Amino acid sequence: MRKITTYLFLLCTISLWSQKQFQGKAVYQSKTTVDMSSWGAEMSEERKKQIKARMKNFLEKSYTLNFTTKESVYKEEAKLQAPGTRGFRFGGFTGGGIKYKNLQANKALESVEFFGKKFLITDNTEKPKWELGSDTKQIGKYTCFKATLVKKVDAFDWRNMRRRGRGRGKGKKPSDKSKTTKVTEEIEIPKEITVTAWYTPQIPVSNGPGQYWGLPGLILEINEGRTTILCSEVIMNVKDKETKIEAPTKGDEVTREEYNKIVKKKMEEMREMFQRRRGGGRGRGRF
């Protein structure tokens, strides 16, 4: 009963705020951990350290979320690379994409670049089925409440990829094939993961980083598999022209399903090309 009363109060608060004209900005830090231990003795400790160092800029990113009560833009902040270092890229994916959400119009768009080609992805706008909890914690000056969500994992979500059979070993069970998707002979990905969100009713905006929204307050932290997204700063009543909220327009328009098919086809072409080169042949994939 207490949970229901609190929830109704929060919804009323959001309704009152929705009548106000304002814009806010939230800064997030994203960090993804990599489990190198699954490679065991096949890779030296020195080599593991080198790979982790190269991947740091790829695994630790900064984002900004510019939002109103109706719409938002979530964008990666450009990061200068230290002189003499080499960047890391996963396949043909590049960073710097923009995620746009219009909660009033049930519209979600994401601009991405894959192997030098720009795409504009129309995404699912169905409200996430969060389970609200009673746990609380403090993030900065904001009191946050816990919510959880069981999410299907995109087959190309590199953050949740892991080595196949990593559970094998003394006292450990192998991965359950019914709960994982085979990506390659070496790599697999879980079909579902539990996402934990921490949101604050003190900023009654039903929004959050990336694809996440639908809670009675701004989401300040997301724990998703091996990735944590944490808000480090919130600025209200932003008036900077550079933070103007606009939907992206550049790129070939595709649905999320169509985009995944394009990525899958390209990755298969690249794998075949790599195998031919190892065998002495030549090949070149294209869209």
Side-chain angles (χ1 to χ4, degrees), residues 22 161 238 249 270:
F22 77 97
M161 290 182 182
V238 176
T249 57
M270 295 298 293

Side-chain angles (χ1 to χ4, degrees), residues 141-154:
K141 63 180 181 181
Y142 300 102
T143 299
C144 296
F145 291 81
K146 182 180 180 180
T148 56
L149 169 73
V150 176
K151 170 193 169 185
K152 291 184 179 180
V153 179
D154 191 305

Side-chain angles (χ1 to χ4, degrees), residues 161-211:
M161 290 182 182
R162 63 194 187 196
R163 194 178 184 197
R164 295 188 69 205
R166 69 172 185 171
R168 296 171 188 170
K170 187 176 180 180
K172 295 183 179 180
K173 296 181 180 180
S175 301
D176 186 341
K177 293 182 179 179
S178 66
K179 296 181 180 180
T180 61
T181 300
K182 176 183 174 182
V183 179
T184 68
E185 292 300 323
E186 290 287 334
I187 304 297
E188 68 181 12
I189 193 169
K191 292 181 178 179
E192 292 183 340
I193 59 172
T194 298
V195 177
T196 299
W198 294 92
Y199 66 95
T200 177
Q202 291 171 260
I203 307 176
V205 177
S206 185
N207 216 320
Q211 62 186 287

Side-chain angles (χ1 to χ4, degrees), residues 46-62:
E46 183 62 29
R47 181 56 177 162
K48 292 177 184 178
K49 289 180 180 179
Q50 291 175 353
I51 292 176
K52 281 187 176 182
R54 283 191 60 192
M55 294 179 70
K56 185 175 181 180
N57 285 347
F58 189 68
L59 299 174
E60 299 179 11
K61 295 180 177 293
S62 297

Side-chain angles (χ1 to χ4, degrees), residues 73-258:
V73 166
Y74 186 67
K75 184 177 181 180
E76 181 183 339
E77 291 297 297
K79 184 185 295 186
L80 292 176
Q81 195 167 294
T85 61
R86 296 175 60 190
F88 181 90
R89 291 175 64 183
F90 179 75
F93 297 93
T94 58
I98 297 174
K99 289 183 173 66
Y100 170 83
K101 296 194 292 281
N102 188 318
L103 306 182
Q104 189 176 48
N106 292 323
K107 180 180 181 181
L109 294 170
E110 180 180 3
S111 67
V112 298
E113 185 175 332
F114 180 62
F115 274 96
K117 189 170 183 178
K118 295 182 183 296
F119 293 92
L120 191 61
I121 306 169
T122 57
D123 235 327
N124 179 23
T125 55
E126 182 180 352
K127 186 175 181 179
K129 297 178 180 179
W130 295 102
E131 181 176 340
L132 302 183
S134 57
D135 293 349
T136 64
K137 76 173 182 177
Q138 200 76 10
I139 298 179
K141 63 180 181 181
Y142 300 102
T143 299
C144 296
F145 291 81
K146 182 180 180 180
T148 56
L149 169 73
V150 176
K151 170 193 169 185
K152 291 184 179 180
V153 179
D154 191 305
F156 301 100
D157 185 350
W158 60 268
R159 298 170 303 170
N160 288 295
M161 290 182 182
R162 63 194 187 196
R163 194 178 184 197
R164 295 188 69 205
R166 69 172 185 171
R168 296 171 188 170
K170 187 176 180 180
K172 295 183 179 180
K173 296 181 180 180
S175 301
D176 186 341
K177 293 182 179 179
S178 66
K179 296 181 180 180
T180 61
T181 300
K182 176 183 174 182
V183 179
T184 68
E185 292 300 323
E186 290 287 334
I187 304 297
E188 68 181 12
I189 193 169
K191 292 181 178 179
E192 292 183 340
I193 59 172
T194 298
V195 177
T196 299
W198 294 92
Y199 66 95
T200 177
Q202 291 171 260
I203 307 176
V205 177
S206 185
N207 216 320
Q211 62 186 287
Y212 297 108
W213 64 285
L215 286 167
L218 182 66
I219 299 172
L220 297 188
E221 182 177 337
I222 286 287
N223 297 302
E224 176 191 12
R226 296 195 306 267
T227 299
T228 295
I229 305 172
L230 180 62
C231 182
S232 59
E233 182 182 15
V234 178
I235 304 171
M236 301 302 294
N237 299 316
V238 176
K239 296 181 180 180
D240 190 342
K241 292 182 180 180
E242 294 183 2
T243 61
K244 189 175 181 180
I245 297 175
E246 294 180 327
T249 57
K250 295 181 180 180
D252 292 350
E253 293 189 22
V254 292
T255 64
R256 178 65 63 179
E257 183 179 1
E258 290 170 338

